[in-house]
Each structure stands twice: as C-alpha cells, then as structure tokens.
Amino acid sequence: MIDPPDTELTREAQIVRTFLELADTLVADFDIIELLTSLAMRCVEILDTAATGILLADGDGHLRVIAASSEQARLLEIFQVQIDEGPCLEAFASGRPVVQYELATAIERWPRFTPYAVNAGYNSVYAIPLRLRGNIIGALNLFRSESGLLADDDVDLARALADMASITILQAEAATEARLRDAHLQHALDSRVIIEQAKGMLAERAGIDMPCAFDLLRSHARNTNTKLTELASHIVDGRISLDKVFTEPQVSRH
C-alpha cells in the first residue's frame, strides 16, 4: 500500500518512493482499488495537476471509475462514463494520449463534458491510456486548473506512472489466473490420489491387478453416470460399498 504523503519529502524523493511502492506490489498481495486511489492522490502531489481519475475496463470492455483523488474528480469521471463522452474514453478507445490544453475550446469535441468540467474549475486535461503493448485496460485522467500545456517532464512522468500501474494490474490478474490454475492442478492431483486409493481397494477385494481395477472403476462410473473422482471418493469414505461396484448390473449409457 502507498503510504500517506510526507510534506517534508522533496518532489524527487516522492517520485522515487512512488515507483518503489508500485514495484513492491509486484511481489506482494495488495488491494488494487486502494493502490490506485493512493496513486491518484500521489499524482496530484507530484504532477502539476489539480485532480486525477482512473478508469478500468470491465470484462465487457465498459469503463468503470476505479479511483479518484477527490470526490469531485470521481463525479466528473462518472459523468464521462454516463454520457459516453470525454478525454478518458477517447484515450481508452484510441490507445493514444488525449490532450486538451484549453478545455473551454473543446465544446464541439465534447459538447456535454466540456461545460461540466469547466464549471468544476478545470481548464485543461491530459488522458493517458493504461496499456501494456496491445492490451489497453483503462485510462488515467489528469485535470488541471490552469490552461496550457503540461511540462514535458510531467508528461513523461505521468506516462511512466500509467505504464507502471498497467503492469501492476496485469501482474495481479496473471497472479490470480495462476492461483486458479494451481488450484485446479492441486484438485487434479488430490483426485488422482483418491482414485489410486479406490483402485487399490477394488484390486485387493477382487484379487485383480490395478489396470483391471481401474477399468472396473471407470465402467461403473460411466454406467451410473457418476464422475470418476466422485465415485472413487465415495468408495474410499465408505459411502459406496465395494460389493455394489462388483454386483451392480452394467447398464449401457445412451
């Protein structure tokens, strides 16, 4: 988690600490919403910007507000999503940064968003896509009180923060998928152990070898429309007797 700001730190020290804290999330469990909310607030501290909002795409590709540096910024981002118009949506759709350094002149570009943002006190905006190569997952919005261009150093820093946030989020998704794969693998391994135990019980009871016991197990599972692992588990814990497996008529499935 990103720590609260330290007003005694220089801007350079704040930048270094921000990147170090983002890097730490790559090897530790963290809450994405908490992380991105802290990142949005940190952007206001280290960049020449008045407010920051972060949007992420859901599974259907629809943008959702995930973090903001203030309630006003959150409402402005929600308004963008609701009217389907604004710099953040353009940055996400195009995969390229969107810059409007004189927001009041963008009335034709964003007829509903522009007056809303200007009335909220914002006069320029930078929207940067959150992306890793061809994978665009959202956008970072920087709202400024002043008109004019953001300094080149700040633009480069904002892009670096957006890239780092993208890596962090995608790393978290990959880790989740890996955990799911590991869980499925572990389930398969556990199931294999249970099946081997059931095979051994059948082989010992009937005086047959293990391949024949496995064939018997599979045949009974098919003919009773039971999953193999489930049948093996029931045999091992005694819910199905061995005699039932040997004596139940083998009915073909259609």
Side-chain angles (χ1 to χ4, degrees):
M1 180 179 68
I2 292 180
D3 294 329
D6 186 338
T7 55
E8 296 183 359
L9 287 178
T10 65
R11 180 174 184 268
E12 290 73 18
Q14 288 180 324
I15 292 170
V16 170
R17 189 174 69 172
T18 299
F19 278 102
L20 287 175
E21 290 164 343
L22 282 170
D24 284 345
T25 64
L26 299 177
V27 294
D29 290 334
F30 67 97
D31 183 294
I32 288 180
I33 295 178
E34 183 178 356
L35 172 75
L36 294 183
T37 299
S38 298
L39 178 59
M41 298 177 69
R42 189 62 64 83
C43 283
V44 174
E45 297 167 19
I46 63 179
L47 300 172
D48 182 18
T49 183
T52 303
I54 300 174
L55 280 70
L56 293 181
D58 61 19
D60 296 322
H62 300 133
L63 286 176
R64 297 286 183 267
V65 179
I66 195 72
S69 61
S70 66
E71 179 63 13
Q72 186 182 58
R74 187 184 74 85
L75 293 175
L76 184 56
E77 296 287 28
I78 290 174
F79 184 68
Q80 279 195 83
V81 173
Q82 289 176 339
I83 65 175
D84 194 27
E85 175 188 292
C88 224
L89 279 76
E90 281 194 16
F92 174 71
S94 67
R96 296 187 298 272
V98 172
V99 179
Q100 189 67 44
Y101 58 86
E102 190 69 49
L103 192 52
T105 65
I107 193 70
E108 292 187 4
R109 186 177 191 180
W110 306 310
R112 290 176 290 178
F113 170 79
T114 297
Y116 188 98
V118 171
N119 288 337
Y122 303 119
N123 292 296
S124 60
V125 61
Y126 280 71
I128 303 170
L130 298 178
R131 64 179 303 165
L132 182 62
R133 294 182 286 276
N135 193 357
I136 304 172
I137 61 174
L140 169 70
N141 244 4
L142 305 176
F143 299 102
R144 303 181 67 232
S145 300
E146 302 81 10
S147 301
L149 293 173
L150 193 63
D152 290 343
D153 287 348
D154 274 5
V155 173
D156 291 341
L157 178 55
R159 289 179 176 175
L161 289 170
D163 289 343
M164 193 66 181
S166 301
I167 293 170
T168 298
I169 295 165
L170 293 172
Q171 173 75 12
E173 292 180 352
T176 298
E177 292 174 359
R179 285 194 295 269
L180 289 174
R181 288 193 300 270
D182 289 345
H184 291 157
L185 176 59
Q186 188 60 51
H187 177 71
L189 293 172
D190 293 343
S191 297
R192 188 72 247 180
V193 171
I194 293 173
I195 289 171
E196 291 300 317
Q197 290 175 340
K199 281 168 53 180
M201 294 171 65
L202 288 171
E204 181 179 1
R205 180 64 173 271
I208 56 179
D209 58 24
M210 294 290 275
C212 288
F214 186 53
D215 289 341
L216 181 61
L217 192 65
R218 290 184 62 203
S219 177
H220 188 80
R222 287 195 303 267
N223 292 328
T224 57
N225 198 24
T226 306
K227 292 181 180 179
L228 183 62
T229 303
E230 181 182 344
L231 174 61
S233 178
H234 289 173
I235 291 173
V236 170
D237 63 23
R239 279 181 285 175
I240 293 180
S241 69
L242 296 176
D243 289 340
K244 186 174 183 179
V245 176
F246 295 133
T247 60
E248 185 169 293
Q250 302 297 297
V251 180
S252 298
R253 291 170 58 198
H254 296 287

